[in-house]
Each structure stands twice: as structure tokens, then as C-alpha cells.
Amino acid sequence: MTPESKTQGTMLLISGPSGSGKSTICKRLLEDSQVVFSVSATTRTIREGEVHGRDYFFLDKEEFRAKVEAGEFLEWAEVYGNLYGTLREPMENAISEGFVYLVEIDVQGALQLRSLGEPGLYVFIAPPSFEVLEARLRGRGSESEETLKRRLGKAEDEYRERHRYHHVVINDDLEDAIQEVRTIAGLPETGSAKS
Ligand code: 5GP
């Protein structure tokens, strides 16, 4: 894995409401060998199919707290009773080696990094409209009407924060959205990156 043409990499932060398609975009970006994924640490229990070090670094609360004390996190937050955090060291290493360091994070975490002045490209992925967002969330099928309403409300709150990002990418056509993010990150046109 050798990044081409760049000496210094960059953080590429991607966030947006659930249903915006940000995870799909991130998965596709990761097909490029110049892109490295930021693996967060969490205290939540490991789910079936997840791998320690790939999906998350699974820590107990004491280990997590020790890392907080030691200043090892760029940011951390409590989400649904569990702790989650972005580790500083892997990001610094990857950026110094010239990689695009992809941080997929919720809006709360993104704004925390922004207000701390963390350098990088902040990209907000937006759905084409709230009707589309609602249809996408309904399409997942697993949620009650109440949960859906709550998620939609949260998505609207998050959408209001989009001006705090450097770029807003509207995910109407997936391929166009991926290309737009690649251009923002200075990655070559799709096709040349894949073998
Ligand atoms: P899950 O447990 O379903 O994987 O993630 C739950 C929530 O935690 C998601 O909203 C996700 O965005 C958030 N999360 C995951 N990693 C981090 C992190 O490093 N920092 C922050 N602030 N939130 C995170």
C-alpha cells in the first residue's frame, strides 16, 4: 500500500443524517488503496460478524477512560449509554504517510472536531429531500413509526448544521456523489484507482 503523488495526506471527514447514504459512499471510497478507514474505539459489546481492530477497537470502560485521561482521543462521546472515540495516533500516522484518512462520524462528533480546529476536509452528505430520506428509512423496514419519527426529527436537526462543513454533497445519484467526494479529496477519477 503506497499512496501516490502526495507527501502529506489529509483527514476526510464524512457525516450526515442516517439514511443519507454516507456508509455506502464510505465503503466505495475504501476500495481505493490511498484511503484508510478510521477505526473508532468503543465500550459497547461486539456484535456478531464484527472484528476487533476492523470495525472497532472494543475496550472495557476502564481501558477507555485511561485513554481519555492519556489524551489519546481526538474526540469522544457517549452514544446510547456506550462510549465511542476517534483515536489520535492512527490518524497522525496515516496522514504523515500521505493517506486520505476517512473518518465516518455522527454530526455531533464532526462538529466537536471542527470546533477543536482539527484540520481536514469536512463533508456533509445530504439526501436529495426529506421525502427521499423518509422513503429510505421506511425501506429499511425494521423500525416502528415512533422510532422513524425520532430519526427523521434528528435528521432535520442535523441537516441544519450542514453550513458548518466545507462541502455539502447531495446524494441524489450515488455514482455522482462518490465522484464528487473523490474530487474534494483530490483522488483520481474512478476507474484509475481500481484495478
Ligand atoms: P454503532 O454502535 O451502531 O456502531 O454506532 C452507534 C453510534 O456511534 C453511531 O451514531 C456512530 O456514528 C457513533 N460513533 C461511532 N464511532 C464514533 C466515534 O468515534 N465518535 C463519535 N462521536 N461517535 C461515534
Side-chain angles (χ1 to χ4, degrees):
M1 229 173 34
T2 46
E4 297 142 27
S5 70
K6 278 189 214 161
T7 48
Q8 180 78 2
T10 184
M11 175 179 81
L12 173 64
L13 180 146
I14 302 268
S15 72
S18 97
S20 63
K22 61 179 187 297
S23 299
T24 310
I25 292 173
C26 287
K27 279 201 189 91
R28 288 284 299 280
L29 292 170
L30 284 165
E31 290 174 6
D32 193 315
S33 61
Q34 273 184 266
V35 183
V36 171
F37 184 64
S38 167
V39 179
S40 294
T42 182
T43 61
R44 85 150 158 72
T45 46
I46 189 163
R47 293 178 190 144
E48 213 184 315
E50 286 184 328
V51 176
H52 177 78
R54 184 193 69 187
D55 299 288
Y56 283 106
F57 293 107
F58 295 94
L59 308 176
D60 62 34
K61 282 211 160 96
E62 250 171 55
E63 290 170 319
F64 196 100
R65 290 278 175 209
K67 286 189 186 297
V68 172
E69 293 299 314
E72 290 184 34
F73 290 114
L74 282 170
E75 64 78 39
W76 64 276
E78 186 171 337
V79 186
Y80 307 122
N82 293 306
L83 305 175
Y84 293 83
T86 309
L87 291 158
R88 185 186 302 277
E89 199 186 312
M91 169 145 109
E92 286 175 353
N93 292 342
I95 290 174
S96 69
E97 288 164 18
F99 290 99
V100 170
Y101 196 71
L102 179 62
V103 177
E104 185 189 350
I105 198 172
D106 62 353
V107 173
Q108 172 196 352
L111 297 182
Q112 209 181 321
L113 286 181
R114 190 87 166 97
S115 57
L116 288 169
E118 191 57 39
L121 300 161
Y122 288 70
V123 180
F124 185 92
I125 308 293
S129 68
F130 276 93
E131 287 71 30
V132 170
L133 186 77
E134 185 168 353
R136 284 181 189 167
L137 291 177
R138 279 189 193 282
R140 290 182 181 175
S142 57
E143 296 177 285
S144 67
E145 196 60 29
E146 196 192 318
T147 314
L148 191 81
K149 289 251 150 62
R150 208 169 49 226
R151 277 189 193 272
L152 281 170
K154 187 165 179 252
E156 283 191 62
D157 290 344
E158 290 175 342
Y159 189 67
R160 271 185 221 110
E161 305 287 357
R162 68 194 182 286
H163 65 278
R164 296 175 68 183
Y165 291 71
H166 296 121
H167 303 273
V168 177
V169 171
I170 297 166
N171 185 12
D172 192 356
D173 178 276
L174 179 65
E175 298 305 322
D176 287 350
I178 291 165
Q179 196 47 61
E180 207 176 324
V181 178
R182 288 183 62 87
T183 303
I184 289 166
L187 293 164
E189 294 265 323
T190 330
S192 54
K194 287 186 198 168
S195 49

